[in-house]
Every structure is written in structure tokens, then in C-alpha cells.
Amino acid sequence: MKVQVLGISGSPIPESNTDRAVKQILEHTGLATEFVKLSELQFSPCRACLGCVRTNECVIDDDARELAHRFRDVPAFVLGAFTPYSSLDARTKAFMERMYCLRHRAGGNQGKAGVSVITTACPPGVENLPPAAETAASQIAFWMMEEGMENLGSMVVLGNVPCIRCGYGDTCPVSGIKMIHGPDATVESVGVKTFEQDEALGQYARELGEKLRAAVLRDP
Ligand SMILES: Cc1cc2nc3c(=O)[nH]c(=O)nc-3n(C[C@H](O)[C@H](O)[C@H](O)COP(=O)(O)O)c2cc1C
């Protein structure tokens, strides 16, 4: 069956919150979907060589060239990212850049319907830390805007700072747990967050999936 919605995750963590949220949105579309984990592919960012202008085919012979074929052929997508250093992760950014090859003359990205998932360890409103989720969501939203895509929404998932599972979260002098949650916070008091714990996110995943479905069926 022809894939109608492509789910892409920039998170390298196996079965991460990002992956599971993307997959749940895909499931709620009720359409033919495919999930791609960018960390399982080998590819580099755009070289800005303009070798793709005439052919809409990237000259870099790596996995993103084939991924661009798959992206070209779907009317809708879910793009999931996480927020190292309070910004969009590098794989997701490189993916967005590499889809540039579809743009020239053909406008191959125009009209696609998309939603984003941003997983961040920093809850909203923490003083003295950058707004990681807003920054990453804007980066994807601006890409969609510049490519003439239809942005149907963005989900923010509260995930986990790596210090929760590194083994030194309570004693490390630069522990992210204390940086985000304060000097008295511990691995135990913060705990491991899962996408499934938050019922509202489950509802929102359904809503986003249904919006994607409506967009695809309206404009297959
Ligand atoms: C190198 C690195 C830097 C990170 N920096 C931040 C950060 O600045 N702000 C933030 O909210 N999360 C940060 N994180 C945490 C990730 O956003 C987190 O791993 C992501 O939310 C995935 O969570 P999950 O494991 O629950 O899926 C960082 C993670 C890594 C690996």
C-alpha cells in the first residue's frame, strides 16, 4: 500500500518519548504510514552546492537522497525532534535542509500537511533557561512556512534530561537535574517522564492524527 503519512524522528534514543509520540500520531491517522528513525540512517547536512537545482535530486550519495524520494511521495508527515542545548537537534535540522532538493522549480514540498513533536527536558516557565520547546517548534514551523507547507500543530512532550539515567545525576557538579529543577532536586524526586503518563498528550495525539487524516483525504 502506498505510504500516505511519513513519521520521522530525530531522537537517537531507542523507543524514546519522541518516537512513541510520533508513532501514536501516525496510528491515529488511520492511513498507510511509515516510521523513519534518522539515527539509523547515515547522512550529512546540505552543502549548498546547488547541484540539485536542475534535477531535484541531491548530489550527495547517502541515505537522505533516498529519504527525499519517500518524502516527495507523501502528502503528509509527522516530524519529531528533541532539544539538545535548547534548540532543534542536528539530525532533524539536517533532514530539513536536505529536503531543499525537492524545492527548486517543482515546489515539491508545497502543500504537504505536517505536524511536529518536540520532546524537551525543561518544563515551560523555568527561569534562567532558554525556551527550548518554543525555539525548536519555531524552527520546524518556519521551515514549513518557507516551504509552503500546511502546519497543523505542534505537540510538546516533557521528556528526560540524560542525567536521570547516567548514574551521577545526584552528585555531578553540573547535573542537569539540579540546573533545571533546583539544588534540592534528585533523580528520585524528578523521576522518569513518559509520554503515556500525560493523558492530555494522548488526546492531542488523536487530534493531530485526525487533522492529518482530514488533510490527506481532502487533498490526496
Ligand atoms: C547533549 C544533550 C543536551 C541536552 N540539552 C537539553 C537542553 O538544553 N534543554 C532541554 O530541555 N533538554 C535537553 N536535553 C534533553 C533532551 O531534550 C531529552 O533527551 C529529550 O527530551 C528526549 O527525552 P526522552 O529521553 O524522554 O525521549 C539534552 C540532551 C542531550 C543528549
Side-chain angles (χ1 to χ4, degrees):
M1 200 192 286
K2 194 165 176 265
V3 174
Q4 293 158 298
V5 191
L6 196 59
I8 301 136
S9 172
S11 162
I13 300 163
E15 275 303 311
S16 63
N17 280 308
T18 316
D19 292 5
R20 301 199 308 280
V22 169
K23 286 177 184 174
Q24 199 167 114
I25 296 171
L26 290 178
E27 212 174 296
H28 285 306
T29 65
L31 299 169
T33 66
E34 186 185 359
F35 176 78
V36 176
K37 193 161 173 77
L38 295 179
S39 59
E40 290 172 358
L41 308 182
Q42 295 294 330
F43 65 101
S44 61
C46 174
R47 289 182 193 159
C49 67
L50 295 182
C52 55
V53 168
R54 283 170 189 270
T55 58
N56 293 108
E57 178 95 358
C58 185
V59 298
I60 307 173
D61 185 12
D62 64 11
D63 292 337
R65 185 195 275 179
E66 196 274 325
L67 184 55
H69 295 165
R70 283 192 268 169
F71 192 67
R72 179 192 60 203
D73 291 342
V74 291
F77 66 91
V78 181
L79 181 55
F82 74 116
T83 59
Y85 294 103
S86 303
S87 157
L88 196 66
D89 68 86
R91 287 183 185 84
T92 302
K93 180 65 165 52
F95 162 76
M96 285 158 41
E97 290 178 13
R98 289 292 297 277
M99 297 307 110
Y100 183 55
C101 64
L102 302 176
R103 177 187 178 96
H104 317 286
R105 302 172 305 108
N109 290 317
Q110 278 184 333
K112 288 187 195 298
V115 303
S116 66
V117 170
I118 308 297
T119 306
T120 169
C122 190
V126 173
E127 281 181 25
N128 304 322
L129 283 178
E134 290 90 324
T135 301
S138 300
Q139 286 175 278
I140 295 180
F142 295 155
W143 171 67
M144 288 196 216
M145 185 193 290
E146 292 185 21
E147 287 294 350
M149 297 167 173
E150 189 183 4
N151 187 352
L152 297 178
S154 180
M155 172 190 284
V156 176
V157 178
L158 189 57
N160 304 290
V161 70
C163 319
I164 282 283
R165 58 190 163 89
C166 77
Y168 299 91
D170 289 340
T171 53
C172 173
V174 287
S175 170
I177 293 170
K178 295 176 192 300
M179 183 177 82
I180 295 171
H181 299 280
D184 297 331
T186 62
V187 170
E188 198 183 344
S189 72
V190 172
V192 175
K193 306 279 185 286
T194 67
F195 161 68
E196 292 78 7
Q197 279 166 349
D198 189 335
E199 269 183 39
L201 289 182
Q203 280 300 323
Y204 193 40
R206 177 181 294 277
E207 194 184 311
L208 291 174
E210 287 171 356
K211 280 186 177 180
L212 285 167
R213 178 184 178 80
V216 170
L217 296 182
R218 178 198 71 210
D219 192 15

